[in-house]
């Protein structure tokens, strides 16, 4: 009896030992697999982070191009006055921010976005208001396309290179221009008055593909700034519909009461043909 009891006890102990060993082995294998999985996840995260950094570097290199000598515009009046981009994108045709240098001073304008290439900015140094000090004038294009040319200009104080106050085109039109566009069944009648002086009315035949017409002339979609005879001159086209222009409002900036304002405003009525507004491409 004792013998059989001893044999049973030995069998039970052996089974228990095998069970503990198997459990320990399974636990160790699971822990090992967990460690491997964690290591693999960490490696993947590190690799993904590295790839992201590489992609960022590649994208940055694609977006950023070095400033070359061709990107620098020099004032025809003074070789020590120049303007050039802070950075270049768009395959070399987009200037993200501009730097103005004048007679040993430099100022960055990060919010100015200009076109490059054949439309790259101009800079001039000239005494616009006959006060004996030469202002810095920066001209550039913000963009162009079919029926669009978005010229821009700034006048800078020669000592601080700060932007001087200029009357906006919208305010100039509100103050000086009154216009009315009247659409009939087959034509458009355009009436305009500048500083109280009426121009001759213009009648335009309706086009087959014309869309909606404005109730008055709209300005700003085609605007050119230029320096002529020592003055900053503006020419902006009046649109009576989308891509449909009836003439040009022109004026020059003069300095009055601490602000550059429009002077000598004129409007020349001229109906543009299709070739005109397609030429902006």
């Amino acid at each position: 009896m004792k013998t059989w009891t001893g044999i049973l006890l030995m069998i039970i102990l052996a089974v228990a030992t095998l069970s503990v060993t198997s459990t320990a082995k399974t636990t160790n294998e699971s822990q090992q697999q967990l460690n491997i999985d964690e290591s693999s996840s960490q490696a993947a995260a590190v690799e993904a982070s590295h790839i992201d950094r590489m992609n960022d570097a590649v994208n940055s290199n694609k977006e950023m191009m070095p400033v070359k000598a061709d990107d620098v515009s020099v004032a025809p009046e003074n070789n020590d006055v120049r303007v050039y981009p802070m950075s270049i994108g768009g395959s070399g045709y987009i200037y993200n921010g501009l730097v103005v240098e004048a007679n040993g001073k430099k100022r960055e304008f990060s919010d100015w976005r200009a076109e490059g290439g054949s439309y790259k900015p101009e800079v001039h140094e000239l005494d616009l208001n006959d006060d004996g000090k030469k202002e810095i004038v920066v001209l550039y294009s913000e963009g162009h396309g079919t029926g669009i040319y978005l010229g821009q200009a700034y006048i800078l104080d020669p000592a601080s290179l700060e932007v001087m106050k200029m009357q906006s085109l919208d305010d100039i039109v509100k103050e000086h221009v009154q216009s009315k566009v009247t659409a009939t069944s087959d034509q458009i009648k355009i009436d305009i008055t500048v500083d109280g002086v009426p121009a001759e009315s213009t009648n335009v035949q309706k086009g087959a593909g014309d869309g909606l017409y404005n109730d008055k002339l709209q300005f700003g979609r085609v605007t050119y700034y230029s320096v002529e005879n020592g003055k900053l001159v503006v020419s902006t086209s009046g649109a009576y519909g989308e891509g449909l222009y009836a003439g040009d409002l022109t004026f020059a900036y003069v300095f009055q009461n601490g602000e550059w304002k429009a002077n000598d405003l004129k409007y020349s009525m001229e109906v543009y043909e299709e070739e005109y507004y397609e030429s902006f491409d």
Side-chain angles (χ1 to χ4, degrees):
M1 182 69 177
K2 291 182 180 179
T3 302
W4 284 108
T5 301
I7 293 172
L8 288 173
L9 287 174
M10 290 177 64
I11 293 171
I12 292 171
L13 288 173
V15 170
T17 302
L18 288 172
S19 176
V20 171
T21 303
S22 177
T23 301
K25 181 178 180 182
T26 301
T27 302
N28 289 336
E29 288 177 348
S30 298
Q31 184 63 45
Q32 184 179 9
Q33 183 63 43
L34 178 62
N35 291 338
I36 292 172
D37 289 345
E38 287 179 348
S39 177
S40 299
S41 297
Q42 292 173 357
V46 170
E47 181 64 22
S49 176
H50 176 70
I51 291 172
D52 286 343
R53 288 197 301 269
M54 291 292 291
N55 287 338
D56 288 343
V58 170
N59 290 336
S60 177
N61 288 334
K62 285 183 179 178
E63 293 172 1
M64 304 291 288
M65 299 181 66
V67 177
K68 306 181 296 294
D70 289 344
D71 300 312
V72 180
S73 299
V74 179
E77 304 86 2
N78 184 349
N79 290 337
D80 292 328
V81 176
R82 58 183 65 89
V83 62
Y84 53 89
M86 294 176 61
S87 64
I88 303 175
S91 300
Y93 293 100
I94 301 298
Y95 291 178
N96 298 308
L98 293 177
V99 180
V100 178
E101 290 186 1
N103 304 313
K105 298 181 290 292
K106 181 170 73 172
R107 194 179 186 97
E108 295 182 347
F109 298 90
S110 59
D111 57 336
W112 292 1
R113 192 168 187 266
E115 289 190 286
S118 59
Y119 294 91
K120 75 176 186 178
E122 296 179 29
V123 63
H124 295 267
E125 183 189 51
L126 62 163
D127 187 357
L128 290 173
N129 55 358
D130 298 322
D131 65 349
K133 296 188 299 181
K134 294 182 178 181
E135 287 76 31
I136 308 301
V137 181
V138 179
L139 317 173
Y140 61 86
S141 166
E142 292 182 329
H144 73 283
T146 301
I148 298 174
Y149 187 90
L150 304 178
Q152 184 58 275
Y154 290 100
I155 302 173
L156 309 184
D157 180 272
S160 63
L161 294 186
E162 292 184 356
V163 175
M164 303 180 74
K165 188 176 181 181
M166 294 175 64
Q167 190 177 22
S168 70
L169 179 58
D170 286 344
D171 289 341
I172 291 169
V173 172
K174 289 178 182 178
E175 180 179 342
H176 297 276
V177 180
Q178 296 80 41
S179 64
K180 183 179 180 180
V181 177
T182 306
T184 63
S185 60
D186 59 349
Q187 63 181 4
I188 308 298
K189 183 183 179 184
I190 301 166
D191 296 294
I192 183 167
T193 299
V194 178
D195 287 332
V197 179
E200 183 179 352
S201 296
T202 298
N203 292 307
V204 182
Q205 293 296 317
K206 275 188 174 181
D210 292 353
L212 297 176
Y213 299 100
N214 305 323
D215 58 355
K216 61 181 180 180
L217 294 176
Q218 303 292 324
F219 297 88
R221 299 275 285 177
V222 176
T223 303
Y224 289 92
Y225 292 83
S226 59
V227 170
E228 300 176 17
N229 300 320
K231 295 185 179 297
L232 176 57
V233 177
V234 185
S235 175
T236 181
S237 300
Y240 61 91
E242 185 65 31
L244 303 173
Y245 298 97
D248 293 326
L249 176 69
T250 59
F251 59 89
Y253 275 103
V254 297
F255 196 66
Q256 297 176 345
N257 303 319
E259 181 181 4
W260 293 95
K261 296 185 176 182
N263 183 58
D264 192 24
L265 288 89
K266 296 184 174 110
Y267 193 86
S268 60
M269 301 293 290
E270 180 180 357
V271 179
Y272 297 116
E273 299 295 335
E274 184 177 355
E275 292 81 4
Y276 172 79
Y277 55 82
E278 286 189 348
S279 67
F280 301 126
D281 286 342

